[in-house]
């Protein structure tokens, strides 16, 4: 009965490879997010989707491409991985659709620890 | 744009002592404020949040925080620390003009000594 799940939990890969991280939520939420936590534990939003539509797209290299096949899933594909992509990537979701719902609680997944060698 | 500053990247207290984690925010519009906790190798869990109404907010595990607009602060407190409180704590802000994104502070690592 996990609320927000991510796969894989750990990902070790070589520079230049392409990888995907999957996220699923069973909370019935309309909005999903990707956050990146760096080695100093600083968290920063990358993307947000509302009901499969991109609503937040921070200054992220275009090697990162989110995809939302339905409102319960938000995947993150990363092309040509670089050393600096090593981080923990968190998926989150919240209810209430669209923008202007800033007071709503975001529920986080357990994170995917990506290490690029 | 909004921002959050957490004073003290590391806080150490004795078991049973008061916990005080400081958070100041910057926002040109009324903010929504959150405290999240992250245990080692886990995701973030909401402790409490302020949206509107009562400025003293009670959360889980005995934590509470008070929104002080005049001081632009949202400090987190707990009267008596427990060993299980050792974790990383994040203050975050969200405002209506930025959609629903959370802007996080840099985190405070809380250590509880026996």
């Amino acid at each position: 009965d996990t609320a927000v799940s991510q796969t894989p939990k750990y990902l070790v890969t070589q520079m230049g490879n392409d990888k995907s991280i999957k996220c699923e939520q069973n909370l019935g939420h309309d909005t999903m997010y990707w956050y990146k936590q760096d080695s100093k534990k600083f968290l920063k939003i990358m993307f947000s989707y509302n009901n499969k539509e991109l609503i937040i797209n921070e200054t992220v290299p275009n090697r990162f491409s989110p995809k939302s096949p339905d409102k319960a899933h938000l995947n993150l594909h990363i092309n040509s991985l670089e050393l600096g992509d090593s981080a923990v990537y968190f998926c989150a979701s919240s209810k209430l659709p669209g923008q202007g719902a800033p007071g709503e609680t975001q529920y986080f997944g357990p994170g995917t620890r990506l290490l690029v060698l | 744009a909004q921002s959050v500053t957490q004073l003290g990247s590391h806080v150490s207290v004795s078991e049973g002592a008061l916990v005080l984690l400081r958070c100041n925010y910057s926002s040109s519009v009324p903010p929504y404020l959150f405290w999240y906790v992250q245990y080692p190798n886990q995701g973030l869990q909401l402790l409490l949040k302020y949206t509107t109404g009562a400025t003293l907010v009670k959360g889980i595990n005995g934590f509470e925080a008070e929104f002080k607009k005049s001081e632009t602060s949202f400090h987190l407190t707990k009267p008596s620390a427990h060993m299980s409180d050792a974790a990383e704590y994040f203050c975050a802000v969200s405002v209506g003009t930025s959609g629903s994104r959370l802007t996080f502070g840099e985190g405070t690592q809380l250590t509880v000594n026996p």
Side-chain angles (χ1 to χ4, degrees), chain A:
Chain A
D1 57 347
T2 304
V4 182
S5 59
Q6 295 179 229
T7 54
K9 190 171 182 179
Y10 299 96
L11 186 53
V12 181
T13 188
Q14 299 287 330
M15 270 175 45
N17 283 350
D18 302 338
K19 290 292 179 185
S20 292
I21 306 172
K22 296 186 176 183
C23 178
E24 177 181 3
Q25 55 94 3
N26 62 7
L27 297 167
H29 291 166
D30 291 285
T31 308
M32 297 184 71
Y33 314 79
W34 279 109
Y35 288 87
K36 179 181 179 180
Q37 185 175 46
D38 64 22
S39 58
K40 295 184 179 180
K41 297 197 175 179
F42 184 64
L43 279 150
K44 187 170 166 57
I45 191 165
M46 300 173 70
F47 302 103
S48 173
Y49 268 74
N50 173 52
N51 204 11
K52 303 194 296 176
E53 180 184 349
L54 182 67
I55 57 172
I56 296 175
N57 185 352
E58 286 297 282
T59 307
V60 176
N62 57 16
R63 298 182 295 104
F64 290 79
S65 53
K67 282 193 170 53
S68 182
D70 56 63
K71 73 174 191 177
H73 296 83
L74 180 62
N75 304 324
L76 183 65
H77 188 74
I78 316 171
N79 289 326
S80 303
L81 277 155
E82 300 178 357
L83 294 176
D85 297 333
S86 296
V88 183
Y89 292 85
F90 287 101
C91 177
S93 73
S94 68
K95 62 180 181 180
L96 291 184
Q99 301 185 40
E104 202 55 49
T105 299
Q106 293 185 22
Y107 295 82
F108 284 78
T112 294
R113 285 146 186 84
L114 172 64
L115 178 60
V116 182
L117 302 174

Side-chain angles (χ1 to χ4, degrees), chain B residues 1-83:
Chain B
Q2 65 276 11
S3 65
V4 173
T5 301
Q6 291 183 238
L7 296 174
S9 58
H10 290 84
V11 170
S12 183
V13 300
S14 298
E15 193 173 18
L18 171 73
V19 175
L20 170 61
L21 305 183
R22 298 178 188 273
C23 172
N24 287 87
Y25 69 91
S26 172
S27 174
S28 58
V29 297
Y32 300 87
L33 295 159
F34 304 77
W35 275 100
Y36 280 86
V37 61
Q38 184 180 26
Y39 298 102
N41 295 318
Q42 294 188 27
L44 282 76
Q45 179 183 9
L46 181 72
L47 277 177
L48 48 80
K49 68 179 181 182
Y50 169 78
T51 54
T52 57
T55 56
L56 181 62
V57 181
K58 294 187 185 300
I60 62 171
N61 302 339
F63 284 93
E64 62 182 37
E66 186 169 11
F67 170 60
K68 292 188 177 180
K69 185 178 178 181
S70 61
E71 299 177 9
T72 61
S73 69
F74 190 58
H75 301 330
L76 182 70
T77 61
K78 181 174 180 177
S80 176
H82 192 273
M83 297 295 289

